[in-house]
């Protein structure tokens, strides 16, 4: 119940009680006066208790002293002396007698008859009724006056509340108009003060939120490593070119940091981020004098640059400048390659997919030409296969010439009773002796069904390495692609060649990516079984990323599982990773599989993983890869 109705109810009860109290007092007074009048009547009747005569005469005599509502005399022997005056029923307009219930009746027996009377109550009721009427009128008038005053005050109060409510309602509009403090006098003053504080604090908070939102927007659309815009901004920019109705033209350049995966593997993620940051600096310096340009990082190792209002020929200046900076960076870090670039022209209405396909092809061609090379494609369509042809020729050439060299990276056992191995990392080079991006070579070989021949070359060169270098002892691991391992003809070839080199086979551990093996568990199991028959071992790398990882325990039965490096990264702060590693180790130990943690880059990660009882550790913190030379 609201304040208004509550106040009205309380006021009604108070005035009701006052009226009832007044009535009670007056009613008691009426009863007292009635008793007095009745007592006087009885005293008078005693003076005529020996009455003899007619009833009318008796009435005439008594009416001089009293007023009667009803008078009846009944003679015992002579009905002619009977007399009746008035009525026992009160008059309908006698409102006072209805308010005050007082009975002044009496029955008296005489010698000759019987007298029944009811005294008139007018003299008794009138004073009290008049007092009650006056008091009630005063109380009702006061009640009505108070109610009217309360109504007026409530209207004023309601207008003030409505003002406050309307102000609060418009707060989401962010108008922040000044508060009219005059609308909040007296007890309402704290509300006005609170609204003013709320207004000022909300305005300050919104200003702060706007600043934070601007910062978050900038962070969301700005890559923290390179400082370039992110893929979302790239999508918006290329769409604006596609839908533009005004004339636009320029060149699009894709710069691919093809060595990122290698650097992450050899030197760790921190070195990879540093590499990307310096590559971005090279790009930024190259475009500094070319007018309007837009730089984006669209994936882990791909950058896109739009340079407006220049032709493909004019864009070569940028590519030459970029190559100079990349060569300087490579020389300072004593690395063979930093990145490759592909350039294509664009104009308004260019189809984004076709444009990016063309640019990707240009980069692919550049990667086959050697470290830090670039390539330009002049047409927007019709030449897309040239990059594929380059890669096919390049991969076929490196297979025929056996253009491979090895790095080695040891795996540290966590206890002296565990026999682990060192991993051999294959690196490739073209006919000019220039390094090719390993990740791209393997990906292109798988795309064009050349992975079997590439893996055969890797295996034969590994056997040759171990045969001709007796100083290399212990077990060694080599990577082969899952598409090769799942082919029966490759499995039979591998079994056959290992059967001829049993001593070498017993030292080999073949590492295969988990996600590739999951595509065909039956073929995966067949491959592992055949390899085990010739004494070699199997390791499943990047374990834990697939949804069916646990099937390897039951169906594939490898000798080693190498946990994906994401489980090692900051494991000291990630309880979920700890739980997963602990569970994998527990299951693996029950069935004799050794667990190796990869990507270990910090001392804290090493300590935690050792406590979780993994069997081996591999990563930049444990040991850096070293070059192995093959005797020709």
């Amino acid at each position: 119940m609201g304040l208004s109705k509550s106040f009205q109810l309380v006021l009604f009860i108070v005035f009701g009680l006052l009226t009832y109290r007044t009535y009670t007092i007056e009613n008691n007074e009426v009863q007292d006066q009635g008793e007095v009048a009745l007592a006087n009547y009885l005293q008078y009747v005693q003076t005529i208790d020996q009455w003899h005569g007619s009833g009318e005469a008796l009435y005439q005599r008594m009416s001089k002293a009293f007023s009667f509502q009803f008078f009846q005399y009944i003679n015992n022997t002579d009905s002619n002396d009977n007399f009746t005056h008035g009525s026992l029923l009160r008059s309908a307009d006698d409102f006072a007698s209805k308010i005050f219930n007082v009975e002044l009746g009496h029955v008296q027996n005489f010698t000759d008859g019987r007298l029944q009377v009811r005294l008139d109550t007018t003299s008794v009721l009138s004073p009290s009724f008049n007092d009650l009427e006056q008091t009630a009128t005063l109380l009702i008038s006061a009640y009505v006056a108070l109610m009217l005053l309360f109504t007026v005050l409530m209207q004023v109060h309601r207008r003030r509340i409505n003002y406050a409510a309307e102000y609060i309602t418009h707060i989401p509009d962010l108008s922040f108009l000044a508060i009219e403090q005059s609308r909040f006098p007296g007890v309402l003053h704290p509300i006005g003060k609170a609204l003013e504080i709320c207004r000022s604090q909300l305005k300050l908070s919104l200003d702060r939120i706007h600043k934070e939102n601007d910062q978050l927007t900038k962070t969301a659309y700005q890559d923290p490593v390179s400082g370039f815009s992110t893929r979302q901004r790239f999508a918006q920019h290329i769409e604006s070119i596609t839908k533009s109705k005004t004339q636009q033209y320029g060149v699009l350049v894709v710069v691919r940091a093809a060595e990122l995966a290698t650097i992450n593997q050899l030197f760790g993620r921190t070195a990879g981020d540093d590499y990307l940051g310096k590559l971005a600096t090279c790009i930024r310096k190259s475009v500094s004098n070319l007018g309007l340009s837009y730089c984006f990082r669209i994936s882990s190792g791909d950058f896109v640059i739009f340079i407006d209002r220049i032709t493909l020929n004019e864009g070569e200046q940028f590519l030459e400048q970029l190559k100079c900076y990349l060569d300087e960076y490579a020389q300072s870090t004593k690395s063979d390659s930093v990145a490759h670039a592909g350039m294509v022209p664009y104009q308004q209405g260019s189809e984004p997919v076709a444009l990016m396909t063309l640019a990707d092809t240009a980069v692919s061609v550049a990667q086959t030409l050697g470290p830090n090379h670039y390539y330009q494609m002049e047409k927007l369509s019709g030449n897309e296969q040239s990059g594929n042809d380059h890669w096919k020729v390049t991969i076929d050439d490196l297979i025929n010439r056996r253009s491979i060299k090895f790095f080695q990276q040891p795996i540290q056992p966590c206890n002296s009773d565990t026999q682990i191995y060192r991993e051999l990392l294959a690196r490739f080079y073209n006919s000019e002796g220039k390094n090719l991006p390993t990740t791209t070579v393997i990906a292109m070989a798988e795309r064009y069904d050349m992975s079997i021949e590439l893996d055969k070359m890797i295996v034969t060169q590994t056997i040759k390495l171990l045969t001709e270098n007796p100083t290399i002892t212990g077990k060694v691991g080599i990577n082969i692609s899952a598409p090769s391992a799942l082919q029966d003809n490759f499995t039979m070839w591998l079994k056959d060649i290992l059967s001829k080199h049993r001593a070498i086979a017993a030292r080999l551990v073949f590492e295969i990516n988990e996600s590739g093996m999951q595509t065909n568990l039956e073929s995966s199991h067949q491959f592992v079984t055949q390899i085990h028959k010739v004494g070699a071992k199997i390791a499943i790398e990047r374990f834990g990323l697939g949804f069916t990882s646990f099937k390897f325990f039951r169906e594939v039965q490898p000798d080693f599982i190498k946990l994906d490096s994401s489980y090692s990264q900051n494991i000291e702060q990630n309880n979920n990773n700890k739980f997963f590693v602990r569970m994998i180790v527990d299951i693996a130990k029950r069935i004799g599989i050794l667990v190796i943690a990869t990507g270990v880059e910090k001392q804290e990660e090493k300590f935690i993983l050792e406590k979780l009882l993994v069997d081996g550790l591999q990563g930049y913190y444990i040991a850096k890869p070293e070059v192995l030379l093959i005797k020709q």
Side-chain angles (χ1 to χ4, degrees):
M1 185 181 293
L3 175 63
S4 177
K5 292 184 178 179
S6 299
F7 180 79
Q8 293 178 32
L9 179 61
V10 170
L11 197 64
F12 178 79
I13 292 173
V14 169
F15 277 88
L17 291 174
L18 289 174
T19 303
Y20 178 75
R21 177 59 179 168
T22 303
Y23 166 76
T24 302
I25 293 173
E26 295 300 333
N27 187 53
N28 291 336
E29 180 66 21
V30 166
Q31 300 301 325
D32 291 341
Q33 292 299 324
E35 291 177 0
V36 171
L38 188 58
N40 290 335
Y41 170 77
L42 293 175
Q43 185 178 3
Y44 176 79
V45 168
Q46 295 301 320
T47 62
I48 58 172
D49 58 347
Q50 299 300 320
W51 173 261
H52 298 282
S54 67
E56 183 178 2
L58 181 61
Y59 173 74
Q60 294 295 332
R61 178 177 178 179
M62 294 183 68
S63 62
K64 295 178 180 179
F66 301 97
S67 296
F68 297 98
Q69 175 189 335
F70 176 75
F71 184 94
Q72 184 180 58
Y73 178 76
I74 305 298
N75 191 283
N76 294 334
T77 58
D78 187 0
S79 60
N80 291 327
D81 290 336
N82 293 347
F83 180 78
T84 299
H85 172 77
S87 173
L88 288 173
L89 296 177
R90 291 172 178 169
S91 175
D93 58 355
D94 188 3
F95 185 71
S97 62
K98 295 178 181 179
I99 297 296
F100 300 109
N101 185 20
V102 58
E103 298 290 341
L104 300 180
H106 184 261
V107 177
Q108 180 69 36
N109 291 319
F110 293 100
T111 304
D112 295 334
R114 177 176 174 269
L115 175 63
Q116 180 181 358
V117 300
R118 178 172 288 177
L119 296 177
D120 186 12
T121 59
T122 301
S123 60
V124 174
L125 297 178
S126 292
S128 295
F129 181 76
N130 290 335
D131 291 344
L132 178 61
E133 185 178 29
Q134 293 175 3
T135 304
T137 301
L138 180 62
L139 289 175
I140 292 173
S141 299
Y143 174 76
V144 171
L146 286 175
M147 288 301 298
L148 291 174
L149 178 61
F150 177 75
T151 301
V152 172
L153 293 176
M154 282 303 299
Q155 288 296 328
V156 175
H157 191 67
R158 188 174 288 110
R159 283 198 295 269
R160 292 166 179 167
I161 293 176
N162 287 339
Y163 170 76
E166 184 178 3
Y167 187 89
I168 294 172
T169 302
H170 285 85
I171 283 179
D173 299 337
L174 307 181
S175 58
F176 299 116
L177 297 176
I179 301 294
E180 297 180 23
Q181 294 293 342
S182 60
R183 290 179 178 264
F184 301 99
V187 295
L188 294 179
H189 180 70
I191 295 179
K193 186 176 180 181
L195 281 175
E196 178 60 30
I197 293 174
C198 175
R199 181 188 73 85
S200 58
Q201 291 296 325
L202 184 59
K203 190 174 184 304
L204 290 175
S205 297
L206 284 174
D207 291 341
R208 184 174 63 254
I209 290 173
H210 286 152
K211 292 180 181 178
E212 293 176 353
N213 186 56
D214 291 341
Q215 184 63 36
L216 287 173
T217 301
K218 182 178 179 181
T219 302
Y221 290 105
Q222 184 177 32
D223 175 53
V225 175
S226 64
F228 292 162
S229 296
T230 59
R231 186 177 183 85
Q232 290 87 345
R233 291 292 193 197
F234 161 75
Q236 295 171 4
H237 186 76
I238 198 170
E239 184 179 2
S240 68
I241 295 174
T242 301
K243 296 182 178 180
S244 176
K245 296 181 180 180
T246 60
Q247 183 180 12
Q248 291 191 35
Y249 70 92
V251 294
L252 180 150
V253 184
V254 173
V255 178
R256 180 160 298 156
E259 300 301 318
L260 178 61
T262 303
I263 292 176
N264 282 339
Q265 186 178 28
L266 297 181
F267 305 108
R269 294 181 297 274
T270 302
D273 288 345
D274 181 65
Y275 158 64
L276 291 175
K278 291 180 178 178
L279 173 56
T281 300
C282 293
I283 295 173
R284 195 175 286 109
K285 290 163 62 177
S286 300
V287 299
S288 60
N289 297 322
L290 290 178
L292 189 60
S293 60
Y294 306 90
C295 299
F296 306 89
R297 182 186 177 193
I298 62 171
S299 66
S300 59
D302 284 354
F303 299 87
V304 172
I305 303 99
F306 289 89
I307 306 175
D308 288 348
R309 303 289 178 179
I310 67 171
T311 64
L312 204 61
N313 290 334
E314 294 170 335
E316 190 169 5
Q317 176 186 350
F318 162 76
L319 295 175
E320 287 288 352
Q321 188 66 54
L322 176 62
K323 188 177 188 308
C324 290
Y325 288 126
L326 295 179
D327 290 340
E328 289 177 6
Y329 176 35
Q331 185 177 4
S332 66
T333 57
K334 297 181 181 180
S335 58
D336 294 320
S337 181
V338 177
H340 300 85
M343 176 182 287
V344 297
Y346 73 83
Q347 60 186 9
Q348 75 277 8
S350 296
E351 178 62 35
V353 175
L355 190 62
M356 290 305 298
T357 299
L358 190 64
D360 183 70
T361 302
V363 175
S364 297
V365 174
Q367 288 177 318
T368 66
L369 301 178
N372 304 330
H373 266 266
Y374 62 84
Y375 190 79
Q376 294 173 293
M377 299 195 74
E378 298 182 2
K379 296 182 179 180
L380 292 174
S381 61
N383 197 30
E384 284 79 358
Q385 293 301 317
S386 62
N388 300 348
D389 295 337
H390 271 273
W391 271 114
K392 288 179 182 179
V393 171
T394 300
I395 294 174
D396 186 64
D397 178 68
L398 71 86
I399 291 173
N400 292 331
R401 291 186 300 99
R402 302 184 182 279
S403 302
I404 186 173
K405 56 185 175 182
F406 290 100
F407 284 72
Q408 66 165 349
Q409 186 177 27
I411 300 173
Q412 176 182 301
C414 291
N415 59 77
S416 57
D417 297 330
T418 303
Q419 293 184 356
I420 308 294
Y421 61 94
R422 75 182 75 183
E423 181 180 359
L424 297 184
L425 306 172
R427 298 293 178 260
F428 309 101
Y429 52 92
N430 62 14
S431 58
E432 299 177 2
K434 298 177 180 179
N435 286 342
L436 297 173
T438 304
T439 305
T440 306
V441 170
I442 294 174
M444 290 297 179
E446 292 181 358
R447 179 184 296 180
Y448 306 121
D449 297 326
M450 304 178 73
S451 60
I452 290 180
E453 296 303 319
L454 183 65
D455 286 332
K456 286 182 178 180
M457 187 266 286
I458 294 174
V459 171
T460 55
Q461 289 302 101
T462 301
I463 293 175
K464 178 181 179 182
L465 171 71
L466 297 179
T467 303
E468 297 179 354
N469 293 273
T471 56
I472 302 176
T473 60
K475 294 182 180 295
V476 296
I478 57 174
N479 289 271
I480 60 174
S481 64
S484 299
L486 299 181
Q487 297 295 321
D488 291 338
N489 59 341
F490 176 78
T491 302
M492 292 301 101
W493 174 87
L494 184 59
K495 180 182 177 183
D496 181 63
I497 194 172
L498 293 179
S499 298
K500 299 175 182 178
H501 301 85
R502 289 279 182 173
I504 298 297
R507 298 172 57 192
L508 294 180
V509 179
F510 293 97
E511 295 191 2
I512 310 173
N513 190 287
E514 177 202 16
S515 60
M517 298 288 280
Q518 285 179 358
T519 60
N520 191 329
L521 292 181
E522 183 178 352
S523 296
S524 298
H525 177 67
Q526 176 68 16
F527 175 78
V528 173
T529 301
Q530 295 300 322
I531 297 305
H532 281 168
K533 288 181 179 180
V534 293
K537 304 293 184 181
I538 299 295
I540 304 299
E541 64 172 352
R542 302 200 70 183
F543 185 85
L545 294 184
F547 292 105
T548 59
S549 295
F550 291 107
K551 288 190 176 181
F552 282 102
F553 290 121
R554 183 179 70 251
E555 300 181 27
V556 179
Q557 299 179 356
D559 303 284
F560 303 89
I561 55 175
K562 299 181 73 174
L563 298 174
D564 186 74
S565 60
S566 61
Y567 291 102
S568 301
Q569 185 176 2
N570 297 322
I571 191 173
E572 70 278 8
Q573 302 172 7
N574 193 320
N575 291 328
N576 290 332
N577 282 359
K578 290 179 186 177
F579 174 79
F580 179 82
V581 173
R582 185 182 295 111
M583 178 177 59
I584 293 297
V585 169
D586 181 62
I587 297 174
K589 285 186 180 297
R590 294 175 186 271
I591 54 179
I593 297 176
L594 299 180
V595 180
I596 298 171
T598 65
V600 182
E601 298 185 2
K602 296 186 297 184
Q603 186 181 52
E604 294 81 2
E605 295 171 353
K606 175 178 180 294
F607 288 162
I608 293 296
L609 290 165
E610 286 176 336
K611 290 181 181 179
L612 293 174
L613 303 179
V614 299
D615 298 291
L617 301 169
Q618 183 180 19
Y620 185 65
Y621 181 77
I622 303 302
K624 300 178 183 179
E626 299 175 350
V627 177
L628 280 177
L629 298 177
I630 301 176
K631 290 184 179 180
Q632 302 296 330

